Amino acid sequence: MMLVRPLLLAALVAFAGAAEAATHRFVAMAGGEKVGHLVAEVDGRTASVDFAIDNNGRGPKAREQITVDAAGAPVTWAIEGSSLFGSPVRESFSRQGGTARWVSQADEGQAEVSGPVLYVPNDGSPWILGQYVKALLKAPGQTLPALPSGTMRLQEVRKFTLGEGAAAVKLTVYELSGVDLTPSYVMVDARGDLFGVLGGGLIREGYEAHLDELSALAQEISLDQAKAAQAKLAHRFDTPVRIRNVRIFDPETMTRGPLSAVVVFGDRITSVQPETDGPAPEGQVVIDGQGGTLMPGLHDMHSHTSLSSNLFYLAAGVTATRDQGNDNDRLMGMVKGLESGELAGPRIVRNGFLEGRSPYSARHGFIPETLEEGLENVRWYAERGYWQIKIYNSMNPDWVGPLAAEARRMGMGVTGHVPAFSNPDRVLMDGYDDIAHINQLMLGWILDPEEDTRTPLRLTGMARASDLDLTSERVLSTVRYMSENGKALDTTAMILERLMLSRSGQVHPADAPYFDHVPVAYQRYRKRSFVTLGEGQHETDAAYQAGFGKVLEVLKLLDDNDVQLLPGTDDGTGFSVHRELEVYVMAGISPAKTLRLATLDAERYFGRDHELGSIARGKLADLILVEGDPTTDISDIRKVRMTMVGGVVYYPAEIYDHLNVKPFAAPPPVTPAQ
């Protein structure tokens, strides 16, 4: 379900009107293939924009009308269309005199304004980013206030020439930051017109052949910034580090012990002893846990890793992830940087993405045209050290068995979605070790065999889960097979909660703990609907609410039957890992068992529990310090004070400051070596 927001869906809007009528055409690209378009018709101070994405069976659609004043500030602005999974969009902004008013699916409001100010839309297209660069270049300090709140900043990143000879075009890359979790990188030409979004897949029509070159540039810029972040945020010590006055969570016994001290030297735990009141030995750095919980690092068993998500994961206490689909070259380069210490981030277990060819294909990894090509792709992944292959929605169901058998022959495992027109029992018997997403499991019990899960039905069909009988043989036979054959489930329950239960204009309880900590654009993005309620909305809403209640029941049913649950998110903010664990507890799984699933059991699944997953002498030092006791209140897991990966210390408060997020917990006191 890869829920990455496509092409800067919450782009900031400003427009410095063109003097002449002109048409600007762009293509949206993913995995080297066209997946959408953007066409802007500009006439004086008015722009009409047509924007559409269709990738992986979903994508936003928008038609925008913008009128600006002589200074380039929006006077009227409107969007109509649909969001990622088809929920209707109708948004507007207007400014008359000194009053600005807006209405979106997130909120409505007004503000008195006395100078240049730029609106942050909830469902805008990337088009206006280029014109927004123009507005900021004219502003003092290249900074302007935004509505509903926040401040936007502009910084030049790189000048370069694309192409050669008469076709060469001089471009400048600017970073736009301040109102979202991650910045945007916008390319403009020598005239100041939008050329594309670097790393965002949008490029001026006619320049598609240069996409690889631009992708390489985007990666180079991102790597430079990620290396600078590592140099700024990583704390390395040449002496032993004593973490004292902590209560250690033992995932084996699922208990929190008495006050203890843990010593780390290099990348290993060298001592675990009861705490004493005496002074620390000379020559040791001392970190005072102040009675908090020291526990193994958390895992996200369903990630799509990026350089920005690496920092969010560390801030959330996540020290290991399973990457479930990515750009292969970019991922391997990232892993190399992590292993060399140039980059900050969790340990990454790489899974190789395999998709079938259809109008609904997701553009990740490989899309083989024949079974033999697919088998070659499996061997390619195996020879580069990938741990599993991941099979996706459009794969031919008859190919799953041979692909799984080849993966097994090459020493790899198998995970994935249930391909359209197949079912969970078949893919498990064909060789899956685990199924990705709890809805992919449940839809096999809910939908008719001929229904197409390559479409948004893989979300909307979950409204029918309210009528699912969990005592039926159809359900219990699958559960028995999973239990008896060691099959697991990569749950991503929190993403189902978000997609099924988020409502326009409301802050869902899942998002409330971090909502006031994040920038305004992300706040507004979280106050949206992903499903369409339509007529009879009360009944439809009730069906989704009951459907998610059934998700919780399935989690408990699987856990009661010893089916291993793999806590995953399909997100990347880190906050979502905490919510996934809270959802487990909502389902009736104890906080201590939930923590074991997120630590030691995840490493057992990887076969690395002799090195990771618990706190013991000789193991790798992947640890987190948490304020409070998450074995009794799972929500305490949100208060991570320190994250350690291989003995390198990170303080989430410092990471969040770097990311423009208000911290959740203060760093612990640290005494340098004496």
Side-chain angles (χ1 to χ4, degrees):
M1 277 190 310
M2 287 174 227
L3 299 176
V4 175
R5 258 183 303 168
L7 297 170
L8 304 172
L9 193 60
L12 284 157
V13 172
F15 177 69
E20 300 177 356
T23 300
H24 303 260
R25 299 183 183 275
F26 303 83
V27 293
M29 305 289 291
E33 300 183 13
K34 181 178 178 180
V35 296
H37 68 268
L38 189 156
V39 179
E41 301 281 356
V42 180
D43 187 0
R45 296 178 182 171
T46 299
S48 301
V49 180
D50 176 28
F51 172 58
I53 300 293
D54 189 1
N55 185 21
N56 193 12
R58 62 196 181 208
K61 292 14 178 227
R63 290 187 177 274
E64 298 175 286
Q65 293 286 331
I66 306 164
T67 302
V68 301
D69 62 16
V75 177
T76 62
W77 179 81
I79 301 173
E80 291 192 4
S82 57
S83 61
L84 183 66
F85 279 96
S87 179
V89 167
R90 185 182 293 261
E91 184 169 2
S92 64
F93 171 82
S94 66
R95 178 168 58 84
Q96 292 183 334
T99 302
R101 295 179 175 84
W102 62 90
V103 177
S104 75
Q105 67 165 309
D107 54 20
E108 59 180 284
Q110 67 178 54
E112 301 304 311
V113 296
S114 58
V117 63
L118 302 167
Y119 177 62
V120 182
N122 204 39
D123 288 284
S125 79
W127 154 249
I128 308 298
L129 285 172
Q131 315 308 323
Y132 189 56
V133 168
K134 293 180 180 180
L136 278 170
L137 285 172
K138 299 175 183 177
Q142 298 184 353
T143 301
L144 284 173
L147 288 175
S149 65
T151 301
M152 272 298 299
R153 296 181 291 273
L154 183 72
Q155 181 177 352
E156 182 179 315
V157 176
R158 186 77 59 92
K159 289 183 181 293
F160 69 104
T161 299
L162 187 68
E164 298 178 351
V169 56
K170 293 183 178 181
L171 299 173
T172 303
V173 180
Y174 289 98
E175 178 187 271
L176 295 173
S177 63
V179 298
D180 211 342
L181 289 181
T182 57
S184 306
Y185 294 93
V186 184
M187 295 179 289
V188 299
D189 63 18
R191 296 181 56 186
D193 291 330
L194 180 67
F195 185 84
V197 180
L198 196 63
L202 190 76
I203 187 171
R204 185 177 290 173
E205 187 177 73
Y207 288 86
E208 297 90 331
H210 295 281
L211 188 64
D212 287 346
E213 182 180 347
L214 293 174
S215 296
L217 177 61
Q219 183 70 356
E220 179 185 335
I221 291 172
S222 297
L223 280 171
D224 287 346
Q225 295 183 332
K227 290 175 182 178
Q230 169 75 327
K232 171 185 175 183
L233 299 169
H235 299 267
R236 293 183 170 88
F237 303 99
D238 296 327
T239 64
V241 177
R242 179 174 292 268
I243 309 168
R244 66 183 312 173
N245 196 22
V246 293
R247 298 183 184 276
I248 298 172
F249 172 66
D250 180 359
E252 192 73 63
T253 62
M254 297 186 292
T255 59
R256 183 173 176 260
L259 288 176
S260 302
V262 174
V263 179
V264 173
F265 184 63
D267 64 352
R268 298 275 173 175
I269 299 167
T270 56
S271 175
V272 181
Q273 298 292 330
E275 180 61 89
T276 66
D277 294 331
E282 291 186 5
Q284 293 188 357
V285 173
V286 177
I287 298 175
D288 186 355
Q290 299 180 311
T293 302
L294 191 72
M295 58 179 288
L298 302 174
H299 293 62
D300 188 341
M301 300 296 279
H302 193 124
S303 77
H304 298 283
T305 313
S306 68
L307 291 168
S308 60
S309 71
N310 283 340
L311 291 178
F312 281 103
Y313 277 132
L314 291 179
V318 176
T319 59
T321 65
R322 181 175 67 155
D323 189 284
Q324 287 279 61
N326 219 309
D327 177 278
N328 293 323
D329 291 338
R330 187 159 55 234
L331 179 61
M332 288 192 289
M334 192 185 314
V335 170
K336 182 178 179 181
L338 291 169
E339 292 175 347
S340 70
E342 291 184 290
L343 301 178
R347 302 177 193 272
I348 300 175
V349 173
R350 291 172 293 140
N351 283 359
F353 193 89
L354 284 175
E355 169 69 306
R357 174 65 66 188
S358 83
Y360 306 100
S361 298
R363 275 73 172 187
H364 290 274
F366 294 119
I367 306 178
E369 302 290 347
T370 65
L371 175 57
E372 183 54 41
E373 185 180 340
L375 296 172
E376 285 294 332
N377 297 151
V378 171
R379 292 188 279 272
W380 189 95
Y381 283 127
E383 290 162 358
R384 287 157 180 79
Y386 282 70
W387 190 63
Q388 291 178 312
I389 60 167
K390 180 190 177 184
I391 294 172
Y392 208 61
N393 293 322
S394 293
M395 183 59 69
N396 184 331
D398 293 335
W399 294 5
V400 171
L403 292 171
E406 184 66 3
R408 194 77 61 203
R409 188 184 73 82
M410 298 294 293
M412 291 192 296
V414 184
T415 182
H417 287 208
V418 177
F421 314 115
S422 186
N423 62 74
D425 293 346
R426 180 178 179 183
V427 298
L428 290 168
M429 293 178 185
D430 276 345
Y432 274 33
D433 297 291
D434 65 85
I435 289 175
H437 306 296
I438 193 168
N439 61 312
Q440 291 285 320
L441 174 66
M442 294 177 64
L443 289 171
W445 303 328
I446 296 168
L447 301 182
D448 294 329
E450 66 275 7
E451 292 187 277
D452 192 346
T453 54
R454 298 172 298 180
T455 70
L457 181 64
R458 60 185 185 267
L459 167 62
T460 59
M462 290 300 293
R464 304 185 213 169
S466 57
D467 298 324
L468 181 61
D469 179 5
L470 297 186
T471 66
S472 67
E473 183 57 24
R474 185 179 189 182
V475 171
L476 296 180
S477 63
T478 304
V479 174
R480 278 195 304 271
Y481 184 85
M482 295 179 75
S483 179
E484 292 169 0
N485 292 275
K487 306 294 185 179
L489 178 68
D490 162 11
T491 51
T492 66
M494 61 73 49
I495 211 73
L496 262 294
E497 179 187 41
R498 171 176 291 170
L499 294 173
M500 295 172 70
L501 304 187
S502 293
R503 298 292 180 263
S504 297
Q506 301 177 24
V507 180
H508 190 271
D511 302 311
Y514 66 79
F515 188 81
D516 291 335
H517 292 250
V518 298
V520 62
Y522 193 70
Q523 288 183 356
R524 301 189 82 213
Y525 187 72
R526 288 277 63 89
K527 295 169 63 177
R528 64 168 56 240
S529 293
F530 290 94
V531 295
T532 303
L533 300 182
E535 295 183 9
Q537 59 180 339
H538 296 299
E539 293 79 5
T540 306
D541 177 67
Y544 279 114
Q545 298 286 344
F548 186 71
K550 199 68 70 170
V551 169
L552 299 180
E553 292 181 41
V554 170
L555 285 173
K556 188 64 167 67
L557 175 66
L558 294 170
D559 185 64
D560 286 346
N561 284 273
D562 297 321
V563 174
Q564 182 168 357
L565 303 180
L566 307 173
T569 68
D570 204 4
D571 191 51
T573 62
F575 316 132
S576 50
V577 176
H578 302 151
R579 184 56 180 178
E580 182 77 356
L581 304 186
E582 290 174 339
V583 169
Y584 279 31
V585 175
M586 289 166 55
I589 303 170
S590 73
K593 173 67 178 297
T594 294
L595 294 175
R596 190 182 81 184
L597 289 167
T599 56
L600 180 60
D601 284 357
E603 286 299 337
R604 284 174 171 161
Y605 194 68
F606 289 148
R608 305 188 307 193
D609 52 299
H610 62 292
E611 290 270 57
L612 292 158
S614 61
I615 298 175
R617 173 177 165 79
K619 284 197 167 187
L620 290 166
D622 286 14
L623 316 169
I624 63 174
L625 176 64
V626 177
E627 181 181 324
D629 180 8
T631 67
T632 57
D633 182 354
I634 194 62
S635 293
D636 280 350
I637 200 65
R638 294 182 179 274
K639 297 181 289 186
V640 180
R641 304 184 69 186
M642 179 189 75
T643 299
M644 179 181 283
V645 182
V648 180
V649 172
Y650 301 88
Y651 301 117
E654 294 180 352
I655 297 175
Y656 282 132
D657 280 339
H658 177 77
L659 294 171
N660 197 31
V661 174
K662 185 169 69 176
F664 298 84
V670 180
T671 303
Q674 302 297 319

